Amino acid sequence: MKIVKFGGSSLSSGVQIRKVFQIVKSDPERRIVVVSAPGKRFKGDVKITDLLLKLAEAILNEEKTAQIYEQIFLRYQAIGDFFKIPRSGIEQLKEHLYSVAQADYPSNDFFRAALSAQGENMSAHLITLIFKQLGLKARLLTPKEVGLTVSGEARKAQILPGSYAKIAKTKFTDNEVLIFPGFFGITKNGLINTFSRGGSDITGAILARGFGADLYENFTDVDSIYAVNPGLVADPAPIKEMTYNEMRELSYAGFAVFHDEAILPAIQGKIPICVKNTNRPEMPGTKIVPRDKVSHKNKITGIASSHHFQAIYLHRYLINREVGFTAKILKIMADLNISYEHMPSGIDDLTIILDKNQLTNGRKEKLTQRIKDEIQPDDLQWRNDYAIIMVVGEGLVNRVGAMADIVDPIRDAGISLTMVNQGSSEISIMLGVRPEDEQKAVKAIYNDHFENGHPKKELQIPRASFKSVSKSLIANFFV
Amino acid sequence: MKIVKFGGSSLSSGVQIRKVFQIVKSDPERRIVVVSAPGKRFKGDVKITDLLLKLAEAILNEEKTAQIYEQIFLRYQAIGDFFKIPRSGIEQLKEHLYSVAQADYPSNDFFRAALSAQGENMSAHLITLIFKQLGLKARLLTPKEVGLTVSGEARKAQILPGSYAKIAKTKFTDNEVLIFPGFFGITKNGLINTFSRGGSDITGAILARGFGADLYENFTDVDSIYAVNPGLVADPAPIKEMTYNEMRELSYAGFAVFHDEAILPAIQGKIPICVKNTNRPEMPGTKIVPRDKVSHKNKITGIASSHHFQAIYLHRYLINREVGFTAKILKIMADLNISYEHMPSGIDDLTIILDKNQLTNGRKEKLTQRIKDEIQPDDLQWRNDYAIIMVVGEGLVNRVGAMADIVDPIRDAGISLTMVNQGSSEISIMLGVRPEDEQKAVKAIYNDHFENGHPKKELQIPRASFKSVSKSLIANFFV
């Protein structure tokens, strides 16, 4: 059984929803369909969720709302009309939305949560009607019915672990296709609460784990995840298959197909994930699977990069022999709610690499001052911005020549490295370069390992040898 | 003016001391001679300092002492007789040592300090007599006279910063050679206190800084410091010149010519240091100089290695986004008085590399338990022992191909790397390998960069280009 999730662009219009219907109908294993709110139909279009949030603000500020309501309903009506759904169906949605908007909420944020969740809710209602109209045995299923219970602050919902057992008990009959609204769950008090990010991705991942699906299909508007950012390299190689950990390491430094945290429930349930394109469902997409399900191990699966980093460099004699020195610095960082990415240290030196987006509202100055006052380093310097490149592959590290494979093309491209980190993650190597060298460096590594949109042959290590390598690694290093 | 320090093997016998005399006499700039206690004359011989510590224990335990006294005095007498010093000179030493042994001390450790310092003290007395006998205008100078004042626990003396100004005011006349006992200073209460390590090296470094010497010559029993451990590579290249920082980074991972902390005062005073061989003073030795005094910059000056490391590997989802996680771990380490060498981190992983000699007395178990209890990682593993290789050179990093230069020979030798760290120190790259690969890896890097006991030509970057490179580095990176 497959859980299928469709993003906003896949549900933005009648034409798109017809594709979705064909996809669902073509495979009887596609039993549970998680839907988003209608997204943009064209550049400059407005997403339903954004309209709903605008509506919430207008209501809170007691401003006029008629035009916003109109804009929302016209979107649903256009979709309904495309499939010749009786107007009474759309009227039901209207009544529903008015009643949600008029109810009482414990806070403004719970009001915003409830209203913004209606994009998915109304989508699910309408698509159930459409699928029935088109001849599928479709039924609406809701977070409340399956027991998708969440806790947490308003608009930062967290799944409650007990939910999975409840979801597993949900009954449905053969041939039935269930339509499920993404993006929200129900609190113990019966309130709607929305997830902070990843939206419907996380709902799909939760259901995949709860129902113990064979596959979680995530339909979006790209053919696959690529080995490198298409903005940096033209026509990059698609990734056919990768492990959960590869996905997570790549997401970390800039891959944005979906939010890595949003798929955690699927990872926890060991459910394979497939990213596919609604517009070209015949393309194989990208499969994301547990390590023991991968057919071969890539030396390099993907290369991600990001350039929003800065670093503090500290110098003090015998820094590495001084017990508690680093702890003091990290205490200061914790006090200021600043996390670090990486912290290379030498005999007299320590560098702390940070996401510079954290250094707003005078935090950079506060951090500098507190380190100066409390640590009294011999020297403290902020280093210029720089870029981090993550090279990721299950077969990358713990192998003769692993590092040489990466740094030789960097040298040949005439680029000097400001940082290299190998040793924690078993599947990635982290490099630092100047931001102006980022694209050139990524290209150099990519071109050395891929050609004509495919990995070079020697990049793949057959599964058989993978297993034996893996065993010896466990013996002396840990995998 | 030069400060000249001689180690125990250079002062172990009349034959050796005659060499010392010739060295001092041959250069009128050699004005202040710091002496150690007589060391071993042959394998299995006992150092005077060890005899004095044995004597101290015998006195504390009220055991027989006559034989130990006899052993000590016979060593000095043999030296005196070699130079035909009147026996009355040796009698003075005896009376002096008896009086030191019979005085009152605030603790047993201050007693041990006072007694163990007499090896150097008696050495300085006797060498003054010998140098006079041989026709030099020699004069004994003592820590008390120059104001070499120390604080700290017994046998862990620390120089008081005010000492340098006092030392600078010490007067001496032209043509005078001053003989100074190493290894100890005087507390504010007038007690003898000894340095914890480096012994006479630190006294020489303190005087070099205090007197503002042009050079601090450190005479020992090797021709020079070598680019690699002669125990790992036969006939390695001597290092003719290196910077303070290179010396410190190399000492850190296993170079043992002298203790890096012991030369800190010379570094602080920017006094060039020269390590030379008493037995072959015509050899150029190794010069250790400030960065702005180096004649050229080496890509690789030396390769040190050490294999007394272990690591804890921790895994927890989103470890790098969790503010305060590392701080908690380091707090635990600080509580247990454990310091770390290096701490590579990834998105979900953190590795802490430790000197395993710290993990005695149940500390490893305590550390493991506290991390499990207080941090609750998803996974915690102790990794096997492994070796760290430090490749050091002022021209190593921040240059195209720096990392490739190091890892290509490692790959060609068929060795896989367990850790790579570049990014904190500007002059070193740290590699991890399995202990069984340590020698092979060091040899591979060495043989790729040195031949016939000399660095390959391209290893040296002329000073002119060094300066300009250095400037651009300051601009975008910091040196």
Side-chain angles (χ1 to χ4, degrees), chain A residues 154-185:
Chain A
R155 308 182 70 193
K156 290 178 180 175
Q158 302 277 339
I159 180 83
L160 289 175
S163 299
Y164 298 113
K166 285 186 217 152
I167 293 168
K169 285 181 194 149
T170 304
K171 296 221 167 71
F172 50 95
T173 59
D174 277 0
N175 309 322
E176 212 178 22
V177 170
L178 301 161
I179 313 295
F180 198 98
F183 188 37
F184 71 96

Side-chain angles (χ1 to χ4, degrees), chain B residues 467-479:
Chain B
K467 273 215 157 170
S468 64
V469 171
S470 175
K471 234 179 197 169
S472 73
L473 289 177
I474 291 166
N476 67 46
F477 211 71
F478 166 85
V479 173

